[in-house]
Amino acid sequence: TEEGVLEPEATFSACFGAPFLVWHPSVYAEMLAAKLDKYGATAYLVNTGWVGGGYGVGDRCSLKYTRQLIDAIHDGTLADLPESEWEEMPIFGLKMPKNDIKDVPKEILRPEEAWAQAGQSPEAFQKQAKHLANLFQKNFVDFADRCSPSVKAAGPKV
């Protein structure tokens, strides 16, 4: 973390580059969706942040595991998983593998299980997940007026 920061805070930057965007973020979202559709591509969200709890409790996701996940994307391991091997994450609606991927333990891929393995309660995880979802929703208010219904529907559900 940055010098002098005792506890990290969640921050949001549209498309990870808000100061450099010419158009409204919804334009970029629609462009990405169109490219994914046109080329039949799949997008994956890879956690390189905290695993097993928040700052001070959990740990950063190991670079070894991050590399294994990127390898699994590149070599088709994730794309080849049947639908029955995925489960939807409550609140966020993201699909999570049900089992290990390469050498990455399933607990790393399933946040609530990572928290449990680190001794955190399911209630603590749910509280933090709902807090994060509320932060996303609050941030999205500034952009929602120009987003399509499908983009609006894709957000977290609290």
Side-chain angles (χ1 to χ4, degrees):
T1 58
E2 293 83 9
E3 187 175 327
V5 175
L6 301 177
E7 185 168 341
E9 289 184 27
T11 58
F12 298 90
S13 176
C15 305
F16 301 102
F20 308 103
L21 299 182
V22 176
W23 299 305
H24 188 275
S26 64
V27 173
Y28 298 99
E30 297 296 336
M31 288 170 54
L32 176 60
K35 295 275 187 192
L36 292 171
D37 186 51
K38 179 178 179 179
Y39 295 103
T42 304
Y44 296 96
L45 179 63
V46 178
N47 178 15
T48 60
W50 296 103
V51 176
Y55 177 77
V57 177
D59 295 305
R60 292 298 303 240
C61 187
S62 123
L63 187 55
K64 171 188 171 185
Y65 294 150
T66 299
R67 287 180 175 150
Q68 286 290 306
L69 292 171
I70 299 304
D71 286 348
I73 292 167
H74 288 160
D75 70 17
T77 299
L78 289 180
D80 291 342
L81 284 178
E83 190 63 33
S84 62
E85 287 297 312
W86 296 89
E87 182 178 8
E88 187 173 296
M89 180 182 187
I91 300 175
F92 295 97
L94 302 170
K95 290 183 181 180
M96 307 176 294
K98 290 182 178 179
N99 296 297
D100 302 2
I101 299 294
K102 294 191 172 273
D103 293 330
V104 182
K106 72 175 185 160
E107 292 79 16
I108 298 297
L109 305 169
R110 305 173 62 79
E112 189 167 357
E113 291 180 28
W115 278 53
Q117 189 176 45
Q120 301 295 304
S121 70
E123 295 80 19
F125 174 80
Q126 288 301 319
K127 180 180 177 184
Q128 190 62 28
K130 287 176 183 173
H131 174 69
L132 181 59
N134 284 323
L135 290 175
F136 272 106
Q137 290 175 334
K138 181 179 175 186
N139 181 72
F140 188 69
V141 167
D142 294 337
F143 307 105
D145 64 323
R146 295 184 49 196
C147 291
S148 68
S150 63
V151 170
K152 291 178 187 177
K157 317 283 188 289
V158 183

